[in-house]
Amino acid sequence: NGSTDGTGALAAAAGARVVRESQRGFGAACWAGAVAARGQIVCFLDADGTFAPADVGRVIAEVEAGRLDLCLGSRTLQHQAAMRLDHRLVNQALGAAVQLTGGPRLSDIGPLRAIRRDTLLDLGVTDRAFAWPLEMVVRAAAAGLRIGELPVTYLPRLGGRSKVSGSLRGSLRAARQMSRLLLAEARR
């Protein structure tokens, strides 16, 4: 959905079916992928090389085995040299905020996650920007889903620059969107 770094072409060349989305935003891209997915379980992660492939399988396995409805890969359950202290603290604060809205206390609201496709579509996640991962967790908690997390390895970014953590402006914009979402949920 507007990426200019060639990720889509690389994925297609490797045999992936690439879904194009005209609406800009992280959530818009994730939602388009979920709608287009053909499998029973969908898994989301950043395409910047920061996650170990073996961890992806572990996160999916929790949902596949029926132990969890939504499994998050936590980058903060173990020390991660690649993750900056401010990002660890922000994610822990978001995890605590999820608990205040009725969900479990989580250590990380990171992008590596797995959920059954039909379950995700039924949640009615509406954010199409940076608050999408947080809204998914909040709505899953409100629906009474079993949410849990596993420690995953977080590696140095292989390329590109994050629209969230790559700049102060991006971080502030994401924080503002997530704060609005949490306030709206707290009012409900």
Side-chain angles (χ1 to χ4, degrees):
N1 70 346
S3 176
T4 59
D5 66 2
T7 304
L10 286 172
R17 180 172 61 104
V18 177
V19 176
R20 307 242 181 247
E21 170 57 47
S22 60
Q23 182 181 347
R24 302 276 302 192
F26 178 75
C30 291
W31 185 254
V35 169
R38 297 179 184 144
Q40 291 181 8
I41 298 174
V42 291
C43 182
F44 301 91
L45 71 147
D46 289 348
D48 58 8
T50 55
F51 293 100
D55 288 337
V56 174
R58 289 177 45 243
V59 170
I60 292 170
E62 291 298 307
V63 175
E64 194 171 46
R67 290 184 288 272
L68 294 172
D69 298 309
L70 172 59
C71 184
L72 305 173
S74 172
R75 302 165 292 181
T76 63
L77 284 175
Q78 58 193 20
H79 176 71
Q80 306 285 348
M83 191 169 191
R84 293 186 350 219
L85 176 62
D86 58 325
H87 293 150
R88 283 195 303 269
L89 295 174
V90 165
N91 273 284
Q92 289 173 353
L94 287 171
V98 166
Q99 186 178 25
L100 292 175
T101 63
R105 181 163 186 121
L106 299 168
S107 66
D108 188 12
I109 308 292
L112 175 52
R113 57 194 51 221
I115 188 171
R116 291 197 177 281
R117 179 183 176 271
D118 59 345
T119 302
L120 173 60
L121 297 179
D122 288 345
L123 289 178
V125 178
T126 60
D127 188 86
R128 297 296 180 259
F130 298 123
W132 190 83
L134 179 60
E135 184 184 6
M136 182 199 298
V137 171
V138 169
R139 288 191 180 254
L145 300 183
R146 293 166 298 157
I147 304 168
E149 55 189 355
L150 297 176
V152 296
T153 302
Y154 190 64
L155 304 165
R157 190 179 182 95
L158 290 179
R161 186 172 152 192
S162 171
K163 292 176 186 165
V164 175
S165 62
S167 71
L168 178 60
R169 180 176 179 240
S171 294
L172 291 174
R173 192 168 67 190
R176 184 174 55 247
Q177 289 177 7
M178 290 181 183
S179 295
R180 282 187 200 140
L181 174 79
L182 289 169
L183 285 172
E185 289 301 319
R187 287 183 187 129
R188 287 209 270 160

